[in-house]
Amino acid sequence: MLKRHTTFINSSFGLLIILFSAFTLHGATNSSVKGWVFDAQTGESLPGANISVLNTSLGAATDINGKYIISRIPPGLYTLRVTYIGYVSFEDTVLVTENEITKKHLQLHPAALEGETIVVTAQATGQKSAINQQLSSKSIVNVVSSAQIQELPDVNAAESLRRLPGVSITREGGEGNQVIIRGLSPKYNIIKVDGVRMSSSNRDDRGADLSMISSTMLEGIEVSKTITADQDADVLGGTVNFKLREAEGGDKAGIGFHILAQGGYTGLSNAPNKFRNFKIVPSIEGRFFNERLGVFAEANFERRNLTSNSFGGNYSARAESGTDYLTNFFDLHSVPRDKKRINGMLALDYKLPVGKLNFTNFLSSSTTELEDRQQLFSVYDGPGTQNQHTYTLSYSKSTLSMIHNSLNYEGQLPFVHVNLKLSHSYSETDEPDNWAVGFRKQGVGIEQFQNVPNLDPKNIAKAVDTGLSGTNLNTVSTTNNFTRERSLTAALDLELPVNFSQKITFVIKFGGNYRTLKRSYDSETFGTNATFSSPSSRAANNMIIDHFGISTNDPLSIPLSFFVDNNYDYGEFLGGEYDMYHPMHFDQIESLVRFCQANFKEFASSGSPEAFARNNFLSTSFNYSGKEILTAGYIMATINLGSDLTIIPGIRYQKLQTTYFGVRGVQGLLSYAAYDHPEDTTVTRHHPFWLPNLNIRYKPLPWFDVRLAYSNTISYPDYQGIIPRINISNASDLDWNNYKLVPTKSKNYDVYFTFSENTVGLFTVGGFLKQISDLIYGWEFFKRGDEAKPYFLRSRDPSRRITYRINTFVNNSFVTDLWGLEFEWQTHFWYLPDPLKGLVLNVNYTRAFSEAEYPFIVSGVDTSFTDRLLDQPNHILNLTLGYDYKDFSIKFSWLYQDDVFTRVDFWPQLRSNTAAYNRWDIAVKQELPWFGLQVYGYLNNLNNAKDENMLKMYTDVPRTLEHYGMSAEMGLRWQL
């Protein structure tokens, strides 16, 4: 491996010397041609148009605003040819003068049948823009264009992504929040906003929450599935870049006002405030000083009801059987969830004589309040937990805030094109006042199920004694959590164009970036450290009884009956498959929490284990802080051999230094009062990598091209893995975080065939292979006595009589193969007779395969089993059928996703998959004849699709279920 990389590095530097020599010999001119490509009928810019200089290898593609520039053209008379799928190709001559910039604007006419005039409809415009941007890219990308986003905007950016090939999303309460690319988990993908890496909002991993990004402020979305050397290489799946809008120019220059207002409905039967969903989006934009200065500002005020009903099951394997399972417990959750979100954006751009300045600012804040009414049915989960029915009401108010700022300079110096970017990204998740109150009833009539195999949880639920008698207060707890991450980045890219001849041209690009990142997690937990039913809680119970006027003859029994809310309706819970009982009254329970907070801390000083006091173990053991420093440099070349062949070799050096602080302690019986952690420590690790890559694009025919890509990429360990935390429990469990984890590595191979023509549209078929090594996953193993010493604190010795179960993370020693096929067809049936010519079709299908070997230890013997990758679906099918007629548009969307592997376990009966997911959505829009008004509406999840996670061997036994119902939205948009 090292020898191959060294050879590649030497070859790359040799190539650089040759290219610099070529530049010296052929030194060249500063002459260039630039201009704007636009629709001759509407004046709309055409992004992704391809401009070539005939009989040379020179050319360019238009940017998002339809602008292009072709540099270093020798003086002379040339013919420019511009092509754009959906339009008639056009040629024009241009005279290039020594050391001057020649302006040449090019207009295109839509393709039409002879004798007919084509009106390009709204959805077709967005599709054509996406097709041409995808065709003009040098690597393998998928695009959602600005017109597609603005025409019928999705709820958020995650929903806009899910229609792309190889892409699926995760949801919370029915709302998309994270993206999975080619079956690889969200943490394996990079999310950027306007080229600025989005900070993680997750305590444990590097995943980003896409629900924070409003689709209305986006100019476009690009998903890069292969990389070139100038891109961050710590990605296994793909890179998503959300491009923010800027002020429009050209015919649309001037001051423009836009406002969008919509209301919505949530269809789940027990959802409160069903009609309180709304979104209001005002924006203003303008260009000033002869269009040199552009200003775009937008705000987004939104409220969404994301109520859900859910089920969670816990199972164990019968050791004497390879197929039977036992049901330990399961719980039911009714979760009214209210999300309020505010987004703001300010984009300034200034056009310089030979360049441009951009200053972009993005702010998002989302507050989610939820009430979780939970019922837990426990058959047996260890001593003291059997034959119980527990009621819990918990409350959480979580505020997620994100800030992105970037200052970008793009300009032309005498010999090089310069791009300098300074950026800042910050995220924080603040949960200042979470609380939970639990009531418990013992002896509920389900003890007979303790050792019965393969039970349907519904049968247990039907047998439970749900009477209120004997259901008493058990625990009260409060927590506050705070996670933050801040990164600062400086990046410099330099491009040096070299014309070896008119048939052979190069662009040498080199540069690098420097990023610092700081993050921390802090948690505080207070509560009852035993239960309210123990004898030493008598004084606390008496105070509660007296304060609330509770009628009871037993000072150790505070009954649930006093706190029941008879007006709360659980509705048809989980489609009527399960029943929920005795909902707690929210206001009364919150009063109980506040009373405990205000009155019971005094019990802490007396040493009472029931005291409502700080839990020192939970408030200490999981806290961490740290920083990362990333340095990267690269060199690459874009080599054009004629107009048909482009070769892009490159190499990137990327190094990450991580420094993290973790808590190391011993958990005893009284750790809630005093947690012993004498060896807290900070560990620094270095991860340097040389990462070569190669992209080739060959276009032998005007309607066909082939793209090949090879790259080496990595993925850094999650925070929860590398924090140097150790916790030795008072039993035999030992948590040992493996700070010695190395990054996961992947060799990536891609091949794509693309067919494009005005009537065909765009048809692609591609294949990919990823060979992933050092994949990181959770692991447990056993060490007895002194064998456990390497995982202990230095000042402690393990007991020689105890076999310790060590929980950690490890790198998989086996190579995991992930491969698949992707098909995509985008077309507009403009050539068909009325009324069919208004049809717009997008359809894509992904078939993925993987083979991962998971090591395990059973009875001291190393073994393993083979299955597919976690989070990987075998099949993804997206179908979108749109129709435009004059000012009316309608779009039907269908998503089918096969089952997804969700849980690894040595016991086959405990592994789990999701059920197949099948969902229908409809969006409509009608332009009104007054003042630029539009009315639009959505019906989301028409078929009431559910998220279902089942035991793999028993497809009708659920591990988790979540129902969130259909939602509807209707709005009005005005633009001037």
Side-chain angles (χ1 to χ4, degrees):
M1 174 67 70
L2 181 60
K3 183 177 181 181
R4 289 203 303 271
H5 282 189
T6 303
T7 301
F8 192 97
I9 295 167
N10 292 336
S11 300
S12 299
F13 280 108
L15 175 63
L16 180 62
I17 293 171
I18 292 172
L19 296 180
F20 268 118
S21 300
F23 175 75
T24 303
L25 292 173
H26 295 272
T29 172
N30 286 327
S31 304
S32 60
V33 176
K34 72 176 185 177
W36 175 42
V37 180
F38 59 96
D39 185 306
Q41 292 184 5
T42 66
E44 296 282 347
S45 299
L46 298 178
N50 183 61
I51 303 97
S52 58
V53 182
L54 294 187
N55 301 314
T56 76
S57 62
L58 300 169
T62 56
D63 63 14
I64 198 73
N65 299 307
K67 302 296 178 62
Y68 75 93
I69 183 168
I70 305 173
S71 302
R72 304 223 172 255
I73 305 179
L77 183 65
Y78 296 92
T79 299
L80 299 182
R81 187 170 193 268
V82 56
T83 57
Y84 195 86
I85 293 298
Y87 287 76
V88 179
S89 299
F90 176 71
E91 294 182 2
D92 201 358
T93 58
V94 61
L95 178 64
V96 178
T97 306
E98 179 78 30
N99 295 326
E100 289 189 5
I101 298 174
T102 303
K103 291 186 178 180
K104 192 69 174 180
H105 300 319
L106 303 166
Q107 59 180 359
L108 297 180
H109 291 269
L113 298 175
E114 187 174 351
E116 290 191 9
T117 299
I118 289 293
V119 177
V120 183
T121 60
Q123 293 184 73
T125 297
Q127 183 190 70
K128 290 175 182 178
S129 178
I131 287 174
N132 285 280
Q133 290 177 63
Q134 191 165 317
L135 285 171
S136 64
S137 68
K138 293 183 173 62
S139 58
I140 297 171
V141 302
N142 296 112
V143 174
V144 183
S145 71
S146 173
Q148 287 173 310
I149 294 171
Q150 302 305 324
E151 174 61 16
L152 287 167
D154 290 296
V155 172
N156 60 36
E159 297 290 349
S160 299
L161 278 172
R162 72 170 175 85
R163 298 185 185 91
L164 296 177
V167 174
S168 54
I169 62 174
T170 64
R171 288 185 168 87
E172 180 185 42
E175 180 183 53
N177 61 349
Q178 290 192 309
V179 62
I180 297 170
I181 301 176
R182 289 178 167 176
L184 289 161
S185 303
K187 64 183 180 180
Y188 295 129
N189 304 308
I190 292 177
I191 309 299
K192 292 186 174 182
V193 176
D194 228 27
V196 178
R197 194 158 183 156
M198 194 171 173
S199 294
S200 169
S201 56
N202 195 308
R203 182 191 82 174
D204 296 325
D205 66 39
R206 300 174 187 270
D209 189 338
L210 304 188
S211 68
M212 302 298 292
I213 303 174
S214 171
S215 57
T216 58
M217 60 180 58
L218 295 179
E219 188 69 45
I221 308 173
E222 284 186 355
V223 179
S224 299
K225 295 176 178 175
T226 63
I227 69 167
T228 50
D230 56 344
Q231 295 175 283
D232 289 339
D234 47 317
V235 55
L236 298 189
T239 299
V240 181
N241 185 30
F242 298 100
K243 297 180 178 180
L244 298 179
R245 294 181 62 187
E246 63 178 44
E248 294 184 306
D251 292 345
K252 295 188 177 182
I255 299 178
F257 299 93
H258 309 261
I259 189 165
L260 177 153
Q262 73 181 45
Y265 163 83
T266 298
L268 200 65
S269 62
N270 66 320
N273 306 317
K274 291 175 180 285
F275 293 94
R276 290 181 63 179
N277 293 354
F278 68 83
K279 178 190 283 187
I280 300 173
V281 186
S283 65
I284 183 171
E285 63 181 309
R287 300 209 70 89
F288 310 94
F289 306 115
N290 199 26
E291 293 195 37
R292 292 196 301 274
L293 174 64
V295 180
F296 178 86
E298 179 177 295
N300 184 325
F301 306 93
E302 185 176 357
R303 182 174 187 172
R304 292 183 59 79
N305 186 325
L306 300 175
T307 295
S308 64
N309 296 331
S310 64
F311 166 99
N314 182 278
Y315 308 93
S316 59
R318 291 186 72 196
E320 62 271 22
S321 167
T323 58
D324 292 343
Y325 70 88
L326 298 173
T327 303
N328 300 326
F329 63 83
F330 63 92
D331 52 19
L332 306 175
H333 297 260
S334 175
V335 188
R337 184 185 288 107
D338 183 71
K339 176 172 281 191
K340 299 175 183 176
R341 188 160 38 217
I342 299 174
N343 297 94
M345 175 195 163
L346 173 64
L348 307 173
D349 67 272
Y350 189 81
K351 298 177 182 178
L352 303 170
V354 286
K356 189 176 182 180
L357 277 172
N358 291 82
F359 183 45
T360 305
N361 304 273
F362 167 71
L363 167 68
S364 182
S365 181
S366 170
T367 299
T368 303
E369 285 190 80
L370 64 85
E371 303 170 18
D372 184 356
R373 288 173 172 82
Q374 172 193 358
Q375 293 186 26
L376 184 144
F377 304 81
S378 179
V379 179
Y380 181 81
D381 192 39
T385 65
Q386 66 272 26
N387 196 17
Q388 293 182 0
H389 186 196
T390 302
Y391 298 79
T392 302
L393 173 58
S394 59
Y395 168 81
S396 171
K397 183 176 182 179
S398 174
T399 300
L400 170 58
S401 302
M402 292 186 174
I403 302 172
H404 292 264
N405 316 98
S406 67
L407 177 63
N408 187 70
Y409 165 73
E410 184 178 357
Q412 184 67 43
L413 298 180
F415 296 106
V416 296
H417 183 79
V418 179
N419 195 317
L420 173 64
K421 175 169 285 189
L422 305 175
S423 62
H424 162 258
S425 180
Y426 175 79
S427 73
E428 67 174 41
T429 302
D430 189 13
E431 299 174 289
D433 188 26
N434 296 350
W435 52 259
V437 175
F439 290 78
R440 181 179 64 179
K441 179 175 182 176
Q442 294 180 303
V444 293
I446 55 176
E447 67 277 4
Q448 71 270 25
F449 298 119
Q450 183 168 324
N451 293 305
V452 179
N454 307 334
L455 271 173
D456 186 332
K458 289 193 286 290
N459 294 331
I460 300 174
K462 293 175 182 177
V464 171
D465 175 8
T466 58
L468 284 173
S469 176
T471 307
N472 300 316
L473 180 63
N474 189 43
T475 58
V476 178
S477 64
T478 64
T479 62
N480 63 79
N481 307 307
F482 188 73
T483 306
R484 72 171 70 188
E485 178 176 304
R486 186 187 303 276
S487 65
L488 300 170
T489 305
L492 176 65
D493 300 291
L494 302 172
E495 288 185 321
L496 175 65
V498 179
N499 296 346
F500 191 82
S501 70
Q502 288 194 358
K503 293 289 188 179
I504 303 175
T505 61
F506 306 92
V507 176
I508 305 168
K509 188 174 182 181
F510 54 97
N513 62 291
Y514 178 85
R515 183 176 76 235
T516 63
L517 179 149
K518 292 184 178 180
R519 67 176 287 117
S520 62
Y521 171 74
D522 295 288
S523 178
E524 289 280 312
T525 298
F526 289 79
T528 50
N529 294 300
T531 71
F532 276 92
S533 59
S534 61
S536 57
S537 67
R538 185 183 301 271
N541 284 19
N542 284 333
M543 290 179 65
I544 294 174
I545 291 168
D546 291 343
H547 179 78
F548 288 96
I550 298 173
S551 177
T552 178
N553 296 321
D554 184 357
L556 295 181
S557 300
I558 299 177
L560 171 62
S561 56
F562 180 80
F563 296 94
V564 170
D565 184 354
N566 292 315
N567 295 318
Y568 188 91
D569 183 10
Y570 281 118
E572 191 180 43
F573 188 83
L574 292 180
E577 294 183 346
Y578 294 88
D579 291 318
M580 294 277 280
Y581 308 94
H582 313 307
M584 293 186 227
H585 194 288
F586 181 86
D587 292 338
Q588 287 183 317
I589 292 295
E590 185 178 27
S591 296
L592 173 61
V593 173
R594 303 310 177 203
F595 182 80
C596 292
Q597 286 178 313
N599 294 277
F600 290 168
K601 288 186 181 181
E602 62 186 83
F603 288 93
S605 60
S606 66
S608 168
E610 282 70 44
F612 186 88
R614 184 178 190 264
N615 186 310
N616 285 278
F617 167 67
L618 295 177
S619 301
T620 304
S621 181
F622 299 96
N623 296 346
Y624 70 84
S625 61
K627 64 180 181 180
E628 299 184 355
I629 299 175
L630 184 139
T631 53
Y634 71 90
I635 183 170
M636 58 182 283
T638 301
I639 307 169
N640 298 305
L641 304 177
S643 59
D644 300 335
L645 181 61
T646 301
I647 303 174
I648 310 175
I651 188 165
R652 183 179 185 86
Y653 174 77
Q654 188 163 307
K655 176 183 176 181
L656 182 72
Q657 174 184 302
T658 61
T659 303
Y660 279 101
F661 165 83
V663 176
R664 295 184 163 188
V666 180
Q667 187 179 356
L669 292 174
L670 300 179
S671 290
Y672 59 84
Y675 178 55
D676 183 18
H677 52 105
E679 297 184 16
D680 298 351
T681 190
T682 298
V683 174
T684 297
R685 299 281 290 172
H686 300 269
H687 302 293
F689 287 94
W690 288 97
L691 302 164
N693 56 69
L694 176 66
N695 286 263
I696 299 174
R697 183 177 64 178
Y698 179 51
K699 191 177 179 67
L701 299 168
W703 48 267
F704 173 68
D705 72 51
V706 182
R707 299 173 190 236
L708 305 171
Y710 165 75
S711 63
N712 289 261
T713 58
I714 54 179
S715 177
Y716 297 118
D718 290 340
Y719 307 116
Q720 65 172 335
I722 59 176
I723 305 305
R725 174 180 178 265
I726 295 177
N727 175 60
I728 303 168
S729 74
N730 56 7
S732 59
D733 280 349
L734 195 159
D735 298 327
W736 184 80
N737 282 18
N738 186 2
Y739 63 87
K740 296 180 181 179
L741 289 170
V742 300
T744 299
K745 297 176 281 293
S746 180
K747 291 182 179 180
N748 312 293
Y749 305 86
D750 293 82
V751 57
Y752 263 66
F753 303 95
T754 303
F755 304 84
S756 57
E757 196 266 338
N758 283 338
T759 53
V760 172
L762 176 75
F763 179 78
T764 62
V765 55
F768 62 89
L769 167 65
K770 296 179 180 292
Q771 296 176 323
I772 305 171
S773 57
D774 291 321
L775 195 66
I776 298 169
Y777 59 96
W779 169 261
E780 66 177 35
F781 58 95
F782 297 87
K783 295 290 184 181
R784 184 174 177 84
D786 289 341
E787 291 181 349
K789 180 65 175 175
Y791 310 98
F792 257 65
L793 303 184
R794 292 186 300 272
S795 58
R796 299 289 193 275
D797 289 318
S799 171
R800 294 182 179 180
R801 297 188 301 273
I802 294 179
T803 297
Y804 293 90
R805 180 173 66 180
I806 300 170
N807 304 294
T808 188
F809 300 89
V810 296
N811 291 105
N812 195 334
S813 58
F814 299 101
V815 174
T816 297
D817 290 329
L818 169 64
W819 67 100
L821 296 172
E822 293 178 350
F823 302 87
E824 181 182 26
W825 185 30
Q826 300 185 50
T827 192
H828 168 219
F829 296 99
W830 58 271
Y831 49 86
L832 296 180
D834 282 328
L836 299 178
K837 65 173 57 178
L839 289 171
V840 179
L841 174 69
N842 285 5
V843 60
N844 60 72
Y845 168 70
T846 302
R847 177 68 169 102
F849 309 82
S850 64
E851 188 173 283
E853 193 161 358
Y854 297 96
F856 270 84
I857 296 177
V858 178
S859 301
V861 178
D862 291 337
T863 185
S864 65
F865 72 91
T866 301
D867 214 311
R868 55 180 159 146
L869 274 173
L870 286 169
D871 296 322
Q872 180 228 307
N874 286 330
H875 305 272
I876 305 175
L877 176 63
N878 281 293
L879 172 67
T880 301
L881 183 63
Y883 184 75
D884 294 320
Y885 180 74
K886 295 184 178 179
D887 294 330
F888 174 77
S889 296
I890 187 168
K891 180 172 66 176
F892 298 87
S893 298
W894 174 46
L895 166 66
Y896 173 78
Q897 180 176 288
D898 196 17
D899 62 276
V900 175
F901 187 36
T902 56
R903 178 184 169 91
V904 174
D905 200 287
F906 172 77
W907 299 102
Q909 63 267 46
L910 298 185
R911 300 170 199 166
S912 58
N913 290 344
T914 66
Y917 186 81
N918 186 38
R919 171 173 168 146
W920 287 89
D921 301 319
I922 295 179
V924 295
K925 185 207 73 174
Q926 174 67 58
E927 294 188 15
L928 303 177
W930 315 289
F931 313 111
L933 289 173
Q934 298 175 351
V935 62
Y936 64 91
Y938 305 95
L939 289 174
N940 301 314
N941 195 22
L942 260 175
N943 58 321
N944 282 301
K946 310 169 184 67
D947 288 334
E948 300 178 324
N949 187 14
M950 321 297 284
L951 292 182
K952 190 174 183 180
M953 291 183 65
Y954 300 86
T955 56
D956 58 344
V957 178
R959 186 175 289 279
T960 61
L961 302 173
E962 185 177 26
H963 292 196
Y964 37 81
M966 186 195 76
S967 64
E969 294 167 89
M970 186 172 181
L972 189 69
R973 182 162 52 188
W974 173 68
Q975 51 188 359
L976 179 65

